[in-house]
DNA sequence: CATTTTTATTGGATCGATTCAAATTCCGCT
DNA sequence: AGCGGAATTTGAATCGATCCAATAAAAATG
């Protein structure tokens, strides 16, 4: 038999063992994928040959092409890959996605890329059945890129209006109002807002025009929620400084500097993310200001870190895990329909908010 | 032309647009993969046809089979998928892996499965060029399963002897000695050890025989390191209780109960993981015992949470990030060789250790 | 204008499996 | 022995691309 001509550089294919065992490809294939339909004797012979030739089992690359389905979902973002393991929000979301995938035995492929071209390529070439998109930043670009793949996808935290895209989000207006009302009821009258972007690549105080022409409607809605509620308490929202950050350390600190450099410092800060809120707590304490004694802060998101901070963060909690689960399931049992889900938020009062100072 | 018979359920293939554009499939392929070698005029025509027919671009499934390389590495464990996002150790490791993958543009596929058969299937069918194995538990099974794929793989935290497997680990003996010496020098004489498993699925006090016949040599080495050093201080190591846990909440607490139920309680605990050490701190404080006043604790691993605990954890820090990076690179630029790397550890003194109580 | 070079295009072979209709073998029964 | 139906096995077709040797067309050279 032609089985001892070793030194073969190429790995063994199913066809090789079929030949060696003297059966057709079809039968050989069945031995591995539906062993029950092949006669025991033949089955054992083929398996023995496979074993002896060092066959690694049917190559998934080949199987994939025929089967069409990868049985994995891609999770994509414009941030570097480590974002999935570093960022608290992403981590909780991933836990939800993991749960849904575990339940059906699907895999997870992480897709990301610092630079633009690589991102495009990575999305084009990802071996997945669909995508979950983290649209924290540059969301529209990510959506455009993904749409080209013509695979099902869901956008998360998608801050912009596009009814043709499946998305899961939260009720931003309602959440924001809850936060604002809480602070107003505590007697606060001087506010500042740490805002997410209204459009890409911008930081600094947001002008009314910038707000009006917002690309990211999520940001716009949160601000609208804050303002609506504060107006009801007779507060002049036109005077409230709104600082757009990139939701990271540097620009958030810059925002705080700018806000507190102004005439009358705020006694309450509305932060559109827990990340910014946590940075703010840190910044304020370093400045000798007491939280919540001098300044109260409400975050947005409900990441677990918030509960561990000192003081623990009052926040508008999204059902992050549940969003992750649903997103994954939407891809896993995709039916071709465009779905838009809006989840409720929960108001969590902890230690970072208190009555307005007397002064 | 045959372009308006809509209602086509099947997605468009490259061959379809080649036909529609009146070129060979070879040329059509070039338009997408090496546009520079096809005449501008033809290129534009084909692209236009593709656009107009709604072609999603070359399907990676097809490309993959031809190319042979997936350009992704699989990261596998026997824990559920969420482990990668929950566990502090795993997260730091993943950050290292991410870094290396980002640098070369490779993707990451997460592979896991609660139950045994699914794990086997998931490993067999993962579309990857190689694996990084988290051998926290059931490591030998994971290695066996992966070996069948005949793809390159590296075992991490592999606690067992098998020189035929590429692995990256740390100098367990040296690390353990550092921890033990530190405590002995602080005057401690009564010790207890919170141990990782010596074999699968076992908890409870470890017998000398269990230690001698250890499957996991990592565990054995750490214990050996502890004992060697303590012996040098004239401590009778035979009397030290060694409790095997599953490195999680329940069995660790059970271990502590058992240890403190014995006659003379220890004044120092050597934990083989930060996870157990952190749980121990929590358990002790809940019991009204002061750390390090009444009991000192040294962990092992050096996860970031340790620094944030109260008191901050004294520990033997592994270069986790670096291990992750190296593991990924080992797969990414694999040369067929079996590599075994042993990394050094760093002793980090923080607040969970202090002088032995006077009593 | 004939000849060599260069540049584009073609179409068959290949990657490694699975599927399915058709052909064959096996069995029990009269 | 002959027959029908069930159990197996076969081998061609398919999945969707890329590669490459051969060919054709265009451009450069003598």
């Amino acid at each position: 038999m032609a089985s001892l001509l070793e030194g073969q550089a190429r790995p063994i294919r199913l066809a090789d063992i079929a030949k060696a065992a003297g059966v057709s490809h079809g039968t050989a294939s069945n031995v591995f994928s539906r062993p029950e339909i092949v006669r025991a004797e033949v089955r054992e012979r083929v398996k023995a040959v496979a074993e002896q030739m060092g066959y690694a089992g049917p190559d998934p690359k080949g199987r994939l092409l025929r089967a069409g389905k990868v049985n994995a979902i891609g999770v994509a973002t414009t941030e570097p890959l480590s974002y999935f393991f570093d960022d608290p929000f992403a981590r909780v979301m991933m836990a939800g996605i993991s749960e849904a995938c575990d339940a059906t035995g699907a895999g997870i492929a992480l897709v990301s890329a610092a630079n633009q071209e690589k991102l495009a390529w990575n999305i084009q070439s990802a071996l997945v059945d669909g995508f979950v998109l983290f649209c924290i930043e540059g969301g529209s670009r990510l959506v455009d890129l993904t749409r080209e793949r013509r695979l099902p996808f869901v956008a998360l935290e998608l801050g912009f209006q596009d009814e043709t895209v499946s998305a899961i989000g939260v009720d931003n207006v309602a959440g924001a109002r809850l936060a604002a009302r809480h602070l107003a009821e505590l007697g606060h009258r001087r506010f500042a807002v740490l805002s997410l972007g209204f459009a890409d690549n911008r930081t600094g105080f947001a002008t009314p025009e910038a707000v009006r022409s917002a690309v990211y409607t999520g940001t716009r809605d949160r601000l609208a929620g804050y303002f609506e509620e504060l107006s009801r308490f007779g507060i002049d929202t036109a005077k409230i400084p709104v600082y757009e950050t990139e939701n990271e350390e540097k620009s958030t600190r810059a925002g705080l500097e700018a806000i507190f450099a102004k005439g009358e410092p705020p006694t309450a800060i509305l932060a559109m993310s827990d990340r910014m809120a946590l940075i703010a707590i840190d910044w304020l304490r370093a400045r000798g200001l007491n939280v919540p004694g001098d300044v109260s802060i409400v975050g947005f998101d409900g990441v677990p870190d918030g509960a561990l901070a000192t003081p623990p963060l009052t926040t508008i909690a999204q059902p992050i895990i549940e969003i992750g689960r649903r997103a994954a399931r939407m891809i896993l049992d995709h039916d071709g329909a465009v779905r838009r889900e809006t989840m409720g938020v929960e108001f969590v009062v902890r230690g970072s908010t208190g009555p307005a100072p007397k002064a």
Side-chain angles (χ1 to χ4, degrees), chain A residues 13 29 109 124 155 202 226 311 319 326 355:
Chain A
R13 307 193 308 301
S29 171
Q124 277 165 30
R202 219 168 42 188
Y226 291 150
R326 290 195 185 208

Side-chain angles (χ1 to χ4, degrees), chain A residues 2-347:
Chain A
S3 73
L4 280 197
L5 27 132
E6 299 296 322
Q8 23 89 54
R10 272 175 46 270
I12 297 93
R13 307 193 308 301
L14 183 52
D16 298 328
I17 80 135
K19 177 133 50 96
V23 296
S24 68
H25 327 288
T27 299
S29 171
N30 286 335
V31 168
F32 294 97
S33 41
R34 302 138 82 198
E36 69 283 1
I37 74 163
V38 18
R39 195 153 44 95
E41 189 200 334
V42 176
R43 194 198 315 142
E44 294 315 318
R45 176 157 47 93
V46 174
K47 274 188 175 164
V49 172
E51 169 76 19
Q52 191 242 319
M53 293 181 72
Y55 180 54
D59 188 329
K61 295 202 283 293
R63 190 211 312 280
L64 171 61
L65 183 53
R66 188 83 246 265
K69 248 193 120 222
V70 184
N71 198 34
I73 75 179
V75 186
T77 170
T78 55
E79 305 284 316
L81 275 174
S82 60
Y83 168 77
F84 293 113
F85 305 100
D86 289 341
D87 186 83
F89 183 82
R91 282 170 41 212
V92 179
M93 190 73 88
M94 290 308 301
I97 295 175
S98 297
E99 227 176 76
C101 288
D102 261 335
T104 68
I108 294 183
L110 267 17
V111 177
S112 107
N115 69 70
Q116 186 122 351
E117 307 114 67
K118 281 224 170 163
L119 215 219
W121 172 254
N122 286 350
I123 288 191
Q124 277 165 30
S125 62
L127 291 158
V128 297
D129 299 319
F131 288 94
V132 172
L133 268 29
F134 275 52
C135 299
I136 3 94
E137 203 205 342
S140 56
R141 183 158 50 97
L142 192 53
V143 168
D144 289 344
L145 245 25
T146 307
R147 208 197 307 261
E148 304 237 308
R149 262 308 281 280
R150 293 174 204 252
L151 285 176
F153 69 92
V154 204
L156 260 30
E157 293 295 292
L158 178 66
F160 67 87
Q161 214 65 35
D162 182 342
E163 294 292 336
T164 68
V165 170
S166 286
I168 303 182
V170 293
D171 190 336
N172 288 304
V173 177
R177 295 184 71 143
L178 251 25
R181 177 172 336 148
H182 171 67
L183 290 171
E185 283 175 352
L186 283 168
H188 292 276
R189 289 299 176 267
R190 292 204 312 277
F191 291 83
V193 175
L194 282 173
S195 174
L196 294 170
F198 289 95
D200 282 323
N201 305 317
R202 219 168 42 188
T203 65
F205 286 108
T207 60
E209 303 86 71
V211 175
R212 218 170 299 122
S213 61
V215 177
Y216 293 114
T217 58
T219 307
R220 193 194 57 195
D221 290 350
R222 289 186 191 179
L223 189 65
Y226 291 150
F227 280 9
E228 272 175 33
E229 197 66 22
L230 293 181
S231 301
R232 295 189 45 219
F233 283 84
I235 294 165
D236 179 5
T237 60
K239 286 196 186 139
I240 298 177
V242 174
Y243 195 98
E244 243 175 303
T245 79
E246 285 180 306
N247 197 30
E248 37 66 79
E249 193 99 14
K250 191 155 156 264
S251 55
T252 303
R253 288 182 185 280
L256 287 159
E257 298 280 2
I259 288 167
F260 280 82
K262 290 207 165 191
E264 280 198 310
T267 66
I269 297 180
L270 289 156
M272 289 196 196
S273 79
D274 282 356
R275 179 115 188 247
M276 287 190 282
L278 260 13
I279 294 169
I281 288 181
D282 194 59
W283 185 89
L284 289 165
R285 287 162 54 99
R287 264 216 157 189
L289 287 167
N290 184 284
V291 179
D294 299 314
V295 183
S296 287
I297 306 184
V298 181
F300 207 118
D301 283 348
V303 303
D305 309 30
L308 273 40
T310 14
L313 185 65
T314 295
T315 194
I316 306 298
Q318 303 190 33
I320 313 182
I321 280 253
E322 180 61 19
I323 293 176
R325 279 194 210 107
R326 290 195 185 208
R329 239 179 273 137
M330 225 184 241
I331 300 305
L332 260 12
D333 29 66
H334 177 253
D335 62 352
V338 169
R339 285 204 169 22
R340 302 213 123 216
E341 297 192 19
T342 301
M343 316 280 295
V345 293
E346 198 187 335
F347 185 37

